[in-house]
Amino acid sequence: MKTIRQRFEFFSIILFSLFLLFGCGGGSDATVGDADTQTGEVAISLTDAPGDFYCYAVDVTSVTLTKADGTEISVLPLATRIDFSQYTDMTEFLTIGTVPSGVYVAAALTLDYGNAGIQVEDDNGDTVPVDQIVDGDGNPVGELTMTVQLENRSHLAVVAGVPVHLLLDFNLEVTNQVSFDEGIPTLTVEPFLVADINRTGNKFHRVRGLLDDVSIDDGSFSVLLRPFYGSLSGNHHHFGIRSVDTGADTQFEVDGIQYTGEEGLAAMAQLNSLSPVVALGDLRFDPLRFEATQVYAGTSVPGGDMDVVEGNVISREDDLVTIKGATLYRAGSSVIFSDRLTVQLGDETIVTHQFSADTFDIDDISVGQRVVVFGQLTETDPEVLSLDADPGFVRMQITTVCGRLNAVNPSDPIAQLSVDLHAISHLPATTFDFTGTGSDPADDADPSDYQIDTSGMDLTSFNVDAPVKVRGFVQPFGQAPADFAAQTIIGIADVRALMRINWRLPAQTQFRAITAAGLVLDLSETGRFHHLVRNRFVADLTTYGQPINIFPQDNNTGTFVIRLKGAVQVYISFDEFRHALEGYVEDGAIAAKMGAVGTFDDATATLTADRIEICLK
């Protein structure tokens, strides 16, 4: 068990991060027409970097684009409430707007914290609301505007007939720090925004809204974007229309019934116009299009006549399960965040499985599993929320576990991996009560020896003591071992590493070398932060016994940021970045803190980074 100090230090390390997950990609080279007579289409999406917020709901009041001549264009028709903590594993379409053709050189996102709903975990493992929100000077926060420059190759060129995609990354870890004073959390917000042009990133995309039209012949349907669970009244075209392509392998769930391919599209064609729809899939370019892998429609989408809760099962007793980290969508579309909620399962509970058309029942729902549950709220007291899912239905979703390998045994007929479990879906392993998960009490899941069935996957690259992340599904209740069925295994070499460092100022030097090859760091006068994080594993960079290097990728490109006296400079080329950094250092600037993202080689203590941010004083 971690001490309170250890828990606080780990939490602080995660929240200190100064890194960027999405850089400025190449924009269109098309010729811009007469802005007075032509317009083009811009699709704007939101995403976020991983963080430890259970809920980060704020009001987005405006999104504006600025042209090279200084003209500002508003592209968000209505203020909307967004929970940014949902976007650590995905990107969501916010709006699609028609704007005058031209070159746009800046984008701005305005947030209103006046009625924010933000939740974090305290030192006791309980989820608590954050009521004190201040800026970098300690003043209470109201509205904050974040602006990102779209310059050089990252400019946004809008022309008629060529739709473009603008991805806005409100990075929670870059923008926020949480501190606890006698158990009371205070959030410090320092606005920062990153943008990408025509780039998908490494997450799946979500389209959410109301059904507009279905074309079985074209294998597609269109959605009136509604990027939130809110009122369905008013002008439904406010946020634009997104066409969604489907294929023979697209999985559908329509009114609680599963389909595949054209059968699913036919079922959607029977729905009433303006039925709710959520589609998950991939963004493609040349031309810009969205291809769905999973579609939910009708009563399978929160916001209908049933209450819906989403979270992880942390315990089960008979047919009563407890869910933690729960987001509750009330019938009528209001949203509530709750630390815990109990769900009653029953004979009439329908159970489905993400990305599968097989038959399942309530016995398949076990401790650790991430679920979406549809039913009726029977207890509305926030301290003892309860939901009845009999009748109702449960959707089991892809679940992520991470830990350190105890053993690798490919010949074991039951479980080929044993893991010292650290977390399930960002919840610490100590959160879960695994009683009843085994075929008998002796076989209940043991977090120190968590058994994973890898179903014949190649395990040759996985070694004992190495951290791993595994995506899949928890084994049915009362049937362990194995405890978990893997669909994807991510080894430490493939895990994105997050490096963050600060220096005690004034420090004599922060860099041993700044060259075309990369940066060699001097960690002799670091402050509290000198760490590397992979999954939930933290390494102290001062213990490597050799210089720490940060090198660019082979193509020398990425997102490289220098922050100095309130100015933010973004570079795509590492050469341009290091020349600028050299100049500032020669002029007397010193690095206060930095962050970088990439893959880390422990043997050479080298981070190959595509994201670097340095704050100079």
Side-chain angles (χ1 to χ4, degrees):
M1 178 72 71
K2 292 182 179 179
T3 66
I4 290 178
R5 178 176 177 83
Q6 288 173 323
R7 291 177 58 82
F8 174 77
E9 289 182 350
F10 175 78
F11 189 64
S12 298
I13 287 167
I14 293 299
L15 290 174
F16 175 80
S17 175
L18 283 170
F19 64 90
L20 312 174
L21 285 189
F22 289 91
C24 300
S28 170
D29 293 324
T31 302
V32 178
D34 183 355
D36 294 331
T37 60
Q38 296 187 7
T39 60
E41 182 180 275
V42 179
I44 297 178
S45 299
L46 293 177
T47 192
D48 177 43
D52 275 3
F53 290 93
Y54 286 98
C55 182
Y56 198 104
V58 294
D59 294 323
V60 179
T61 59
S62 73
V63 177
T64 60
L65 302 177
T66 302
K67 298 181 70 174
D69 63 4
T71 303
E72 291 187 355
I73 306 295
S74 176
V75 290
L76 186 69
L78 296 171
T80 179
R81 193 166 182 79
I82 297 291
D83 180 3
F84 283 93
S85 67
Q86 296 185 25
Y87 298 151
T88 60
D89 292 320
M90 70 175 172
T91 297
E92 178 153 61
F93 282 95
L94 173 65
T95 186
I96 297 177
T98 299
V99 300
S101 296
V103 175
Y104 291 81
V105 297
L109 179 72
T110 300
L111 306 179
D112 185 354
Y113 284 81
N115 191 35
I118 298 173
Q119 302 266 352
V120 297
E121 184 179 289
D122 66 12
D123 293 328
N124 299 316
D126 296 324
T127 306
V128 296
V130 178
D131 296 322
Q132 299 184 33
I133 305 174
V134 298
D135 61 20
D137 296 323
N139 301 314
V141 170
E143 274 199 344
L144 288 177
T145 297
M146 297 171 285
T147 301
V148 60
Q149 299 300 314
L150 308 172
E151 298 175 344
N152 301 323
R153 285 180 294 169
S154 65
H155 69 261
L156 179 67
V158 178
V159 298
V162 185
V164 291
H165 178 240
L166 174 64
L167 177 65
L168 298 178
D169 180 2
F170 172 50
N171 191 314
L172 290 183
E173 290 192 305
V174 171
T175 308
N176 297 265
Q177 287 183 300
V178 175
S179 60
F180 285 85
D181 182 8
E182 297 182 354
I184 300 175
T186 296
L187 173 67
T188 301
V189 184
E190 297 180 278
F192 192 71
L193 189 67
V194 179
D196 250 324
I197 311 299
N198 284 353
R199 183 173 171 180
T200 63
N202 59 354
K203 307 177 184 181
F204 67 81
H205 287 66
R206 179 169 73 181
V207 172
R208 180 165 50 175
L210 307 176
L211 184 62
D212 178 48
D213 186 45
V214 177
S215 176
I216 296 178
D217 290 340
D218 293 337
S220 67
F221 61 90
S222 56
V223 177
L224 301 168
L225 291 183
R226 303 288 289 192
F228 53 94
Y229 293 112
S231 172
L232 301 183
S233 62
N235 188 336
H236 301 301
H237 292 76
H238 273 313
F239 291 89
I241 301 176
R242 174 79 265 167
S243 178
V244 177
D245 294 338
T246 68
D249 296 327
T250 302
Q251 298 289 321
F252 292 81
E253 186 180 303
V254 182
D255 288 342
I257 301 175
Q258 292 187 295
Y259 305 91
T260 302
E262 189 174 315
E263 289 184 352
L265 206 57
M268 289 190 65
Q270 301 303 311
L271 293 173
N272 294 328
S273 179
L274 304 183
S275 293
V277 177
V278 173
L280 309 177
D282 301 305
L283 198 62
R284 308 295 185 190
F285 296 97
D286 300 323
L288 178 66
R289 62 197 185 280
F290 179 79
E291 297 178 352
T293 56
Q294 187 88 40
V295 179
Y296 304 102
T299 59
S300 292
V301 176
D305 58 1
M306 302 181 78
D307 299 314
V308 182
V309 62
E310 180 175 4
N312 283 81
V313 176
I314 63 168
S315 66
R316 177 169 178 172
E317 184 175 356
D318 296 326
D319 292 341
L320 187 67
V321 301
T322 301
I323 293 176
K324 183 175 172 64
T327 301
L328 175 65
Y329 306 96
R330 292 302 314 272
S333 302
S334 63
V335 180
I336 302 172
F337 180 87
S338 175
D339 186 32
R340 293 170 186 257
L341 183 147
T342 59
V343 174
Q344 181 66 56
L345 307 174
D347 294 338
E348 295 186 56
T349 304
I350 298 171
V351 179
T352 62
H353 188 292
Q354 192 175 22
F355 306 119
S356 174
D358 294 341
T359 301
F360 300 89
D361 59 34
I362 60 173
D363 293 335
D364 290 292
I365 303 168
S366 191
V367 177
Q369 181 62 53
R370 187 157 186 83
V371 294
V372 180
V373 185
F374 293 72
Q376 300 296 327
L377 201 64
T378 55
E379 177 56 68
T380 59
D381 183 342
E383 299 297 323
V384 288
L385 288 172
S386 298
L387 186 139
D388 187 358
D390 183 26
F393 58 95
V394 178
R395 180 188 308 137
M396 297 189 296
Q397 294 188 300
I398 284 282
T399 303
T400 301
V401 302
C402 69
R404 192 176 295 277
L405 282 174
N406 294 323
V408 181
N409 187 0
S411 62
D412 191 304
I414 298 176
Q416 296 74 47
L417 295 182
S418 168
V419 171
D420 180 7
L421 188 66
H422 283 212
I424 301 178
S425 297
H426 304 297
L427 294 174
T430 53
T431 304
F432 299 87
D433 179 357
F434 294 102
T435 302
T437 56
S439 53
D440 60 57
D443 288 327
D444 283 350
D446 178 359
S448 66
D449 183 23
Y450 199 68
Q451 302 288 305
I452 298 178
D453 176 12
T454 62
S455 302
M457 296 179 184
D458 182 6
L459 303 178
T460 55
S461 63
F462 298 97
N463 301 310
V464 172
D465 288 332
V468 293
K469 177 188 290 186
V470 184
R471 294 190 178 104
F473 294 87
V474 178
Q475 288 285 74
F477 190 65
Q479 296 186 30
D483 305 316
F484 193 85
Q487 291 197 348
T488 306
I489 308 174
I490 305 171
I492 192 64
D494 301 316
V495 171
R496 296 279 282 174
L498 317 177
M499 182 183 291
R500 72 268 310 151
I501 298 166
N502 73 327
W503 285 269
R504 295 192 301 270
L505 298 181
Q508 294 300 310
T509 179
Q510 301 84 39
F511 305 102
R512 295 189 179 190
I514 302 173
T515 69
L519 310 178
V520 183
L521 306 183
D522 187 327
L523 302 185
S524 60
E525 296 185 66
T526 56
R528 181 175 184 178
F529 299 99
H530 38 78
H531 300 86
L532 186 85
V533 178
R534 287 172 288 191
N535 287 337
R536 296 180 68 91
F537 300 96
V538 180
D540 186 341
L541 294 170
T542 63
T543 64
Y544 274 79
Q546 57 183 309
I548 304 298
N549 309 298
I550 302 179
F551 293 167
Q553 301 177 109
D554 290 341
N555 61 10
N556 231 30
T557 63
T559 300
F560 311 107
V561 179
I562 296 176
R563 303 180 70 181
L564 176 63
K565 297 179 180 179
V568 178
Q569 300 177 49
V570 182
Y571 303 88
I572 299 170
S573 163
F574 180 79
D575 283 336
E576 295 177 359
F577 165 76
R578 62 104 176 174
H579 280 307
L581 181 60
E582 282 181 312
Y584 286 125
V585 172
E586 289 174 358
D587 290 340
I590 56 178
K593 50 190 174 181
M594 71 168 295
V597 180
T599 56
F600 190 76
D601 185 329
D602 287 272
T604 63
T606 298
L607 182 77
T608 302
D610 56 9
R611 314 288 188 262
I612 302 173
E613 179 186 341
I614 295 178
C615 180
L616 300 177
K617 296 291 186 180

